[in-house]
């Protein structure tokens, strides 16, 4: 039950959820999204290249998750693996990678169906996918740095 509460907290009390709320507010009140959507629909190579950002973030998330789960040499990781709250790290890693993969697939879908999606919906979806995958990756990288610092200092 405690683990479920942790997962719900991680989902709804997080920077990712705040980003989704912000993007929702922007969609409700934003007229400028149509302009961004038109740019995303253009044939410019610069705008087409931006669709790969979530894929890049997913690659960084996989790399950071590996370093987060195995931060030091094998013998030195034992203290981490025996920590009673270690499941929080693994849950966060799985959540972040899942979110990055969903965002990557969503962005591929946006790229494939660009011409059929309304401009403002295209823009808000793109911003949501890029923002979510970027925030999740950043949090994994920051957690990796902090965990290495803690383990180096106390183990």
């Amino acid at each position: 039950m405690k683990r479920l509460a942790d997962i719900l907290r991680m989902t709804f009390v997080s920077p990712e959820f705040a980003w989704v709320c912000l993007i929702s507010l922007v969609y409700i009140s934003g007229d400028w999204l149509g302009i961004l959507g038109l740019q995303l629909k253009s044939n410019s190579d610069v705008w087409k290249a931006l669709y790969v950002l979530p894929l890049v973030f997913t690659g960084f998330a996989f790399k950071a998750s590996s370093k987060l789960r195995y931060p030091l040499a094998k013998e030195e990781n034992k203290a981490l693996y025996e920590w009673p709250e270690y499941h929080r790290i693994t849950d966060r890693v799985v959540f972040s990678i899942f979110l990055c993969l969903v965002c990557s697939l969503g962005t591929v879908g946006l790229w494939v169906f660009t011409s059929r999606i309304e401009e403002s919906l295209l823009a808000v979806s793109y911003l949501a996918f890029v923002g979510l995958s970027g925030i999740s990756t950043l949090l994994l990288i920051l957690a990796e740095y902090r965990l290495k610092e803690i383990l180096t200092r106390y183990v």
Side-chain angles (χ1 to χ4, degrees):
M1 192 64 165
K2 182 181 176 191
R3 190 168 183 178
L4 179 63
D6 286 342
I7 291 171
L8 289 173
R9 187 178 315 117
M10 173 181 50
T11 303
F12 294 109
V13 183
S14 66
E16 292 97 340
F17 189 73
W19 180 254
V20 169
C21 292
L22 177 69
I23 289 296
S24 299
L25 289 174
V26 166
Y27 181 67
I28 291 169
S29 64
D31 294 331
W32 59 272
L33 289 172
I35 297 168
L36 178 60
L38 285 173
Q39 289 297 321
L40 289 170
K41 281 187 171 185
S42 73
N43 288 328
S44 172
D45 289 336
V46 172
W47 289 101
K48 285 184 178 181
L50 290 177
Y51 282 108
V52 301
L53 277 176
L55 297 169
V56 171
F57 288 143
T58 301
F60 281 116
F62 273 108
K63 185 176 180 182
S65 69
S66 175
K67 290 182 179 180
L68 190 59
R69 295 197 58 193
Y70 313 107
L72 304 171
K74 287 186 179 183
E75 304 81 32
E76 297 168 339
N77 287 332
K78 187 176 181 181
L80 175 65
Y81 299 149
E82 292 174 351
W83 179 46
E85 300 294 321
Y86 178 68
H87 65 86
R88 286 181 165 190
I89 293 173
T90 57
D91 290 345
R92 181 64 203 190
V93 164
V94 169
F95 176 75
S96 293
I97 288 178
F98 175 76
L99 198 56
C100 285
L101 288 173
V102 167
C103 290
S104 294
L105 290 174
T107 306
V108 169
L110 289 178
W111 179 67
V112 169
F113 298 108
T114 298
S115 61
R116 295 185 172 198
I117 302 173
E118 180 207 350
E119 287 84 7
S120 59
L121 183 60
L122 177 68
V124 77
S125 300
Y126 175 77
L127 290 174
F129 291 147
V130 170
L132 284 173
S133 58
I135 289 169
S136 290
T137 302
L138 178 65
L139 291 175
L140 282 178
I141 292 169
L142 293 174
E144 171 200 342
Y145 293 154
R146 182 70 176 137
L147 184 63
K148 277 187 179 179
E149 178 184 318
I150 291 169
L151 288 175
T152 303
R153 188 180 300 172
Y154 297 109
V155 174

